[in-house]
Amino acid sequence: SFDPRRILGDGIGESLRNAGMSRRETRAEVERLLEQCGLSKEFADRYPHQVSGGEVQRLSIARALLLKPKLLILDEPTSMLDISVQAQILQLLKNIRRQEQMAFLFISHDKAVINYMCDRQLYMQEGRIT
């Protein structure tokens, strides 16, 4: 989901620049979010092909947090990650939810992940909530 021709910091900060924030202010906010998501600020200067799948997921979370939403919709946020990276991402999301007082709508086929992450659960079967 990141433009392969642009550095990651530009991809993350685009919304703030479109809203009129200066490059310097945008850069500072992007670096703060990267650190919040467990990445060093140097990731802002890398290209998408220079990072791993777990790092891309953290970068995507940083981008989603940029405009300080009250609700974050997460559709299979750990589906393509190995089990250890999956655990790190889930713990990161729990920490963010607590720190930012944010609600999540968490969508997953993995019932263990849902049980770990969610306070309330709805299950769908054949297009109906069961």
Side-chain angles (χ1 to χ4, degrees):
S1 63
F2 288 98
D3 185 336
R5 298 166 297 174
R6 296 177 64 196
I7 59 172
L8 293 163
D10 285 347
I12 295 169
E14 186 173 17
S15 297
L16 292 179
R17 284 191 314 282
N18 289 341
M21 189 178 276
S22 73
R23 283 203 172 274
R24 179 177 287 168
E25 292 170 315
T26 298
R27 177 68 181 217
E29 182 63 11
V30 167
E31 288 176 0
R32 184 192 70 76
L33 284 168
L34 290 175
E35 289 181 5
Q36 182 181 8
C37 291
L39 299 169
S40 68
K41 63 183 180 180
E42 287 77 24
F43 275 83
D45 296 318
R46 294 185 185 173
Y47 288 88
H49 70 275
Q50 296 175 311
V51 297
S52 71
E55 290 164 343
V56 167
Q57 197 65 353
R58 289 173 184 271
L59 291 156
S60 297
I61 292 167
R63 183 174 53 192
L65 296 173
L66 189 66
L67 298 177
K68 300 178 181 5
K70 293 182 181 183
L71 171 68
L72 191 60
I73 300 172
L74 300 140
D75 187 3
E76 298 284 358
T78 60
S79 65
M80 299 299 288
L81 304 174
D82 68 50
I83 195 74
S84 65
V85 176
Q86 181 182 46
Q88 293 170 10
I89 296 296
L90 292 175
Q91 189 58 51
L92 170 66
L93 289 169
K94 275 192 158 201
N95 292 341
I96 288 169
R97 185 175 61 185
R98 185 178 59 253
Q99 291 168 358
E100 303 296 325
Q101 299 291 303
M102 180 181 292
F104 287 170
L105 175 60
F106 202 96
I107 303 163
S108 179
H109 289 91
D110 188 332
K111 288 183 181 181
V113 168
I114 293 294
N115 288 334
Y116 179 72
M117 289 297 296
C118 300
D119 300 324
R120 288 181 269 165
Q121 302 170 13
L122 296 173
Y123 293 93
M124 289 190 76
Q125 186 172 359
E126 297 179 13
R128 297 185 190 271
I129 296 175
T130 59

